[in-house]
Each structure stands twice: as C-alpha cells, then as structure tokens.
Amino acid sequence: MNRRSFVRGALAAPSAAVPLSAQEQYEKKTRGLAPLKITDVKAITTSGGRGYQWVFVKVLTSEPGLYGFGSASNVNMAWAVAAAIEKHFGPFWIGRDPDRIEDLWQSTNVRGYWRNSTIHNNALSGLDMALWDIKGKRAGMPVYELLGGKAREAVPCYAHADGRDAQQVEDNIRKFMEQGYRHVRAQLGGYGGGGFIPPGQGSRPAGGFQGAAMDEDTYLHAVPKLFDHLRAKLGWDVKLLHDVHERISPTKAVEFAKRMEQYHLFFLEDALSPEQIAWFRNIRQVCTTPLAMGETFTSPLEYMPLVSERLIDFVRNRVSQTGGITQAKKTAAVCEAFGVRTAFQEGGDNDPINQLASYHVDMSISSFGIQEENHFPEQVHEMMPGAARIKGGYMYGSGLPGLGIDLHEEIARKYPMQVLPGQPHWTEVRGMDGSVVKP
Ligand code: MG
C-alpha cells in the first residue's frame, strides 16, 4: 500500500469518490495485462500460389489467441532463412517477454556474434515485426499509433512503368497517372534496359558468351533519349524516377547523373554499386539530380556516411532486410536530422507483411519521402486478410490492431515454397566479353 492509498483508506471515503491519479490509472491498466511469454516460434514458408519465396515468422504467446507475424522473406536465400529461424533463433526466443522489443532486438542482433548477415537480419526483422504486431494487438491499436501516430493520411507510392520503346513507356506512365499516381519510375525494358546488345549480335569472343550483353555506353545514350521523349509528351507535372540497378561503372554513373539532371527526376536510384558508394561525392559535385541508394544494404550503418555527409537524398532499405520496424524508425530519425528522406524498397518478390511494416513506419515519420509500390493477386489477399491496398496511388492499411494482417496457414500450406532451378539466376548479368556485370 502506498502513501496515497493509505491516506484514502484512512479517510474511509468511498473509493469512487476519490479520482485516481494518472499514475494510478496507468498502473491499474497495465496490471490488468498478464505477464507474457513467447511460447513458440514458427517459420511459415509459402509460394502464395504464384511462385513467391516467402518466409514468415509467427510468434505465439502465453496469452491464448495472441500471436504476431513478421516477414523474413529473402527471395535469394529463403530456405536458409527458414532453417535459421527454426533451428537457431526460435529456441533463443522461446520463453522471453515479447513486450521487450528493444531488448530482444539487441540480444538477437548479437545472437550470431557476427552481425548483419542477410539471413541473420531477415530473422531479426521477422521477429521485430511480430513483436510490434503483438504489442499493437495488446494495445488495441495499429502499430503506427504506437510509433507516434499518423503523420499523414495515407502513404504515397510510386509505380513501375516499363516498355520496349519510348512510346510504350509513355503509354504505361499515362495509365498510372490516370489511376492517380503522381510518381512513376520509367525503365526501358527492365533494369539496364536500353543498354543490352541483343543475343548473338556484335563482336563476341570466339566460343564466348552469346546472351544479351550489357553495354554501359549503349545505356547512357538510350536512357536520356527516353526521358527526352517522356518530358516532351508528358510535361513536368508527373514525378519521374529511374533505377540504374548498379549496372554501370562509377565514372559513367557520374556522367549519367549529370546528363539526367535536365529531366528533373524525383530520384535516380542505385547509380552506384554498394562497393563504390564513395563516388556519390563525385556525383554531388557535378549535378543536383536527387539520389537514392540502399536496397542492397544490410547493415543500417552502411547508410551513415551517405546520410551524415548528405551524399544521397533517399534511403532505400528493405525493412525485412535491415532490422524491421525498430531499425526503420531509427534510420528515419537519423535521416530527419540530415534532411534525407525514406523510400523503403519493395519489389515483386516482397510480401504483404513486409509491406505493412513499411507502411506503419511511413505513416508515422516526418522524414518520409515515398514508398515503392507492390501489389498482390486476390488469392494472396484471401490467404492474408488485412493486406494493404493501393488506391489512387496511395497505400492504405486495414486499420486493425497490430500490423493489421492475418495469415491463413491452411491456405499457405496448400502452396508450398519450391526449390527454384539454379540457373538462370536473375542476378547474373554479363557484358560482351562474358565478364560479370553488377546486377
Ligand atoms: Mg531498385
């Protein structure tokens, strides 16, 4: 009995007549929640019926019916991530208090002793999202409410327009504009598009590589022509983006960013490979083209020199690859201090839980820039009720507590994840002499 309740008792006044202090009200509320424990951890794999390589973490708790989901998807290492969760991380997490998100994040981060491997961070991200999901369900609030509440009404997204020639790219951009998108990424036939010498053509070494070959000079001439066409036909209201996908050498990246300045891009993405990020200084010296970087980053610390020296304008990490909601919120806070914005990565291989994790951070931060679009077939929405929807260029969550999504495991089981053929692999890109080009 504390001093205040003793005094109340001594005065023998009816308890309802003495209002509880704010502190007492809080204590009363939290005492109503039983202590929680993680009782089980499952790695759920599924193709979603569409060839996906999705790995989800399901964290079950001692409160009947209370569980959380997180995304640990990694299209390139999915089976290894599932094994890491089942064999290494799950046993480490079971028995812990799921309310202690920061503490569990930190202990999991050093659980492998060696930090920031892709697989390790997928597992860490999956756990982190699941814990925020649980906390939100306990609080009866969407996760963004726990992160500070809405900083915007919905999340603006950019769409992907592609085409075999400039006219088709223009037509596809117009379709997105009619749907309400204000931001559209334009690619001439996929990554490196416009820069490929067709199979068998050109001067090749005898008996050498005969496939489509990346040539950076061809690319550097083709893409500005595409944007000449787009700006002439579409005007300047639509915000255009372009993704280099690391496929050119550093000096050419400097030249390319300078040549693209006249088209007033919303951002130019991954002009450099992660090995050559020091060259961002050189790009900054010659042009004002806004720069986005980082979908290949795993460690949050990889951003620090780029953000603190203001060498890029947008961080592009995938939330399920870099430590989940906890890390995304911290990265966004650092960005805010340096005037850099977020553009969390999505892509065709991503899953609805990672998308919602990005959404809840996007909704609650001031350093938000844009969110990459991703959408799913209806059968995925049936398997995962509450998945985000994009309407008119904006993403909306379900508004339900936690992440706001569920997963029908019986449907997921109907679509088992497959072991994919080893070759060809999309990351293997080659030049005319058969040498490997960054993907
Ligand atoms: Mg990209």
Side-chain angles (χ1 to χ4, degrees):
M1 183 180 285
N2 61 29
R3 186 166 163 270
R4 189 184 173 95
S5 55
F6 172 77
V7 170
R8 187 187 294 127
L11 291 173
S15 59
V18 180
L20 298 177
S21 70
Q23 179 63 27
E24 284 169 326
Q25 286 180 38
Y26 176 79
E27 285 175 1
K28 194 175 167 198
K29 277 184 184 167
T30 51
R31 271 200 298 271
L33 295 173
L36 269 190
K37 266 195 169 44
I38 296 174
T39 53
D40 200 5
V41 173
K42 289 160 84 173
I44 298 168
T45 59
T46 182
S47 74
R50 292 296 183 100
Y52 294 115
Q53 296 268 296
W54 286 346
V55 183
F56 301 116
V57 178
K58 184 175 187 180
V59 174
L60 295 102
T61 75
S62 48
E63 188 176 316
L66 180 62
Y67 55 84
F69 278 113
S71 164
S73 296
N74 177 337
V75 65
N76 301 309
M77 298 293 279
W79 291 100
V81 175
I85 292 163
E86 282 176 356
K87 307 292 185 193
H88 299 294
F89 290 101
F92 180 71
W93 296 331
I94 289 169
R96 311 258 183 178
D97 178 355
D99 266 339
R100 298 181 64 168
I101 299 177
E102 178 69 21
D103 184 80
L104 263 174
W105 194 101
Q106 297 293 346
S107 56
T108 301
N109 189 43
V110 295
R111 154 67 179 76
Y113 186 50
W114 297 285
R115 266 78 102 184
N116 293 309
S117 85
T118 54
I119 293 164
H120 191 139
N121 278 9
N122 293 134
L124 172 60
S125 305
L127 168 78
D128 181 79
M129 292 176 202
L131 297 183
W132 281 105
D133 193 23
I134 289 167
K135 197 177 278 294
K137 286 174 176 172
R138 274 195 123 192
M141 295 179 189
V143 168
Y144 63 71
E145 293 289 2
L146 306 179
L147 300 177
K150 281 186 186 181
R152 54 193 44 77
E153 298 306 320
V155 172
C157 295
Y158 72 84
H160 301 157
D162 219 320
R164 65 180 171 272
D165 56 32
Q167 186 58 53
Q168 197 175 54
V169 178
E170 178 201 330
D171 294 345
N172 287 332
I173 293 173
R174 286 190 191 282
K175 283 180 201 158
F176 286 118
M177 291 168 71
E178 281 161 19
Q179 288 173 35
Y181 282 94
R182 300 172 61 232
H183 306 76
V184 187
R185 190 187 75 181
Q187 304 290 132
L188 197 54
Y191 302 128
F196 282 98
I197 303 200
Q201 292 186 18
S203 174
R204 312 257 182 166
F209 176 68
Q210 294 298 317
M214 181 72 201
D215 181 82
E216 59 184 6
D217 291 312
T218 307
Y219 179 80
L220 251 66
H221 286 112
V223 177
K225 275 188 205 152
L226 166 69
F227 280 81
D228 271 340
H229 174 98
L230 296 178
R231 282 306 185 200
K233 296 297 179 75
L234 297 168
W236 298 88
D237 287 343
V238 62
K239 299 175 196 298
L240 295 176
L241 299 71
H242 183 74
D243 188 354
V244 177
H245 228 269
E246 336 168 24
R247 293 197 175 179
I248 55 179
S249 58
T251 312
K252 294 293 179 186
V254 179
E255 182 189 343
F256 184 63
K258 191 176 169 188
R259 288 176 68 170
M260 294 300 284
E261 185 177 33
Q262 60 186 308
Y263 306 113
H264 295 194
L265 296 184
F266 185 76
F267 65 58
L268 180 67
E269 178 182 349
D270 290 355
L272 297 163
S273 70
E275 296 86 354
Q276 299 298 341
I277 56 175
W279 284 79
F280 276 119
R281 288 182 190 86
N282 304 70
I283 297 180
R284 274 289 200 244
Q285 285 163 7
V286 299
C287 68
T288 58
T289 297
L291 302 167
M293 178 70 197
E295 70 181 61
T296 46
F297 288 176
T298 306
S299 167
L301 296 178
E302 287 174 280
Y303 282 108
M304 287 305 122
L306 299 183
V307 173
S308 64
E309 294 181 50
R310 299 177 177 87
L311 297 177
I312 58 170
D313 302 276
F314 296 88
V315 297
R316 291 263 311 133
N317 57 299
R318 181 182 288 206
V319 174
S320 64
Q321 193 59 257
T322 44
I325 290 169
T326 295
Q327 184 57 53
K329 186 83 178 166
K330 290 178 183 179
T331 301
V334 173
C335 286
E336 186 181 344
F338 291 96
V340 176
R341 291 187 284 168
T342 64
F344 294 134
Q345 194 264 355
E346 280 284 322
D349 61 288
N350 264 308
D351 66 74
I353 294 177
N354 176 62
Q355 185 181 48
L356 273 168
S358 305
Y359 163 85
H360 286 282
V361 179
D362 293 340
M363 284 291 284
S364 63
I365 55 175
S366 295
S367 53
F368 172 81
I370 193 75
Q371 171 69 46
E372 187 170 9
E373 184 269 354
N374 196 14
H375 57 274
F376 304 99
E378 274 312 306
Q379 73 187 77
V380 166
H381 285 273
E382 281 163 29
M383 182 175 79
M384 306 183 78
R389 297 273 187 180
I390 297 177
K391 291 174 208 144
Y394 289 89
M395 189 195 298
Y396 299 86
S398 69
L400 294 168
L403 294 174
I405 190 168
D406 209 344
L407 170 65
H408 290 308
E409 291 179 59
E410 69 282 5
I411 301 180
R413 272 194 294 273
K414 278 201 310 194
Y415 306 122
M417 195 168 78
Q418 304 295 317
V419 176
L420 299 180
Q423 297 177 45
H425 198 267
W426 71 272
T427 55
E428 192 174 342
V429 182
R430 293 188 183 272
M432 287 293 276
D433 66 354
S435 60
V436 168
V437 175
K438 295 280 176 10

